[in-house]
Amino acid sequence: MNMEQITLEVLKGYALHHDGTHGISHWRRVRENGLFLAESTGADTEVVELFSVFHDCRRRNEGRDPGHGARGAQLAVEMRGEWFQMDDEPFEHLLMACRAHTAGLTEAHPTVQTCWDADRLDLGRVGVIPRADRLCTRPAKDPDTIKWALARSQEGWDRH
Ligand SMILES: [Fe+2]
């Protein structure tokens, strides 16, 4: 699986600014958050990496866009086989993670929970401090993790 090539391909159809709120620096931090959490949660790291790129990649705006998770999942369906291979079970987790990532759920397979937490830990970029009771996994709820993610999510604020 070549994440760089997958990311470039996905970006071709990204409708918003690449450096916007839901753009590639968010995808990069979600990936980093997820891989960190996966060390403790045992999440499938390929699912986590693909989630980071697919979950917001078919947004049509930076605000309320209820269908975007499902559209990102659909793109993953279209690219599977040609751009990456994945067994059915982890792929179902990827689809679930993308489709439901804005539903506010906390109960799911640990791989799905890890994806959602990776995304929620980056809320500081829009001025929202991640809340432990809205996170799913033990390592994400750790105050040190929230602090670490919050600092990274707000990097560069002084430049805007
Ligand atoms: Fe996101």
Side-chain angles (χ1 to χ4, degrees):
M1 196 169 81
N2 185 324
M3 281 310 298
E4 200 176 314
Q5 282 181 14
I6 291 169
T7 304
L8 289 172
E9 179 64 17
V10 168
L11 269 177
K12 287 181 190 168
Y14 187 56
L16 307 173
H17 287 297
H18 290 189
D19 60 354
T21 306
H22 298 92
I24 49 176
S25 61
H26 170 58
W27 303 0
R28 175 178 53 78
R29 287 188 303 269
V30 170
R31 176 179 178 275
E32 290 166 358
N33 290 343
L35 293 179
F36 170 75
L37 298 175
E39 291 174 19
S40 315
T41 65
D44 184 316
T45 54
E46 292 202 337
V47 172
V48 166
E49 289 200 271
L50 290 173
F51 171 81
S52 72
V53 168
F54 282 110
H55 77 286
D56 275 337
C57 74
R58 286 302 176 264
R59 274 187 164 271
R60 292 171 181 159
N61 64 60
E62 302 277 17
R64 209 180 115 71
D65 181 357
H68 80 272
R71 291 193 299 272
Q74 180 55 33
L75 180 63
V77 169
E78 290 162 18
M79 288 178 65
R80 183 190 185 195
E82 186 180 350
W83 292 86
F84 64 92
Q85 316 288 331
M86 186 166 273
D87 290 343
D88 288 345
E89 196 187 342
F91 192 65
E92 281 305 316
H93 293 152
L94 173 65
L95 297 181
M96 167 76 177
C98 288
R99 286 172 183 151
H101 79 275
T102 52
L105 305 173
T106 54
E107 293 300 325
H109 185 278
T111 292
V112 177
Q113 289 180 311
T114 299
C115 292
W116 292 342
D117 280 352
D119 187 34
R120 290 169 199 173
L121 281 171
D122 200 42
L123 280 169
R125 76 195 191 285
V126 289
V128 177
I129 297 174
R131 278 174 42 176
D133 64 337
R134 299 218 174 141
L135 294 165
C136 316
T137 67
R138 188 188 46 74
K141 292 170 185 275
D142 185 325
D144 286 341
T145 305
I146 293 175
K147 224 168 115 183
W148 170 70
L150 187 62
R152 286 163 45 255
S153 68
Q154 295 180 337
E155 267 171 26
W157 268 24
D158 51 343
R159 290 198 297 272
H160 290 297

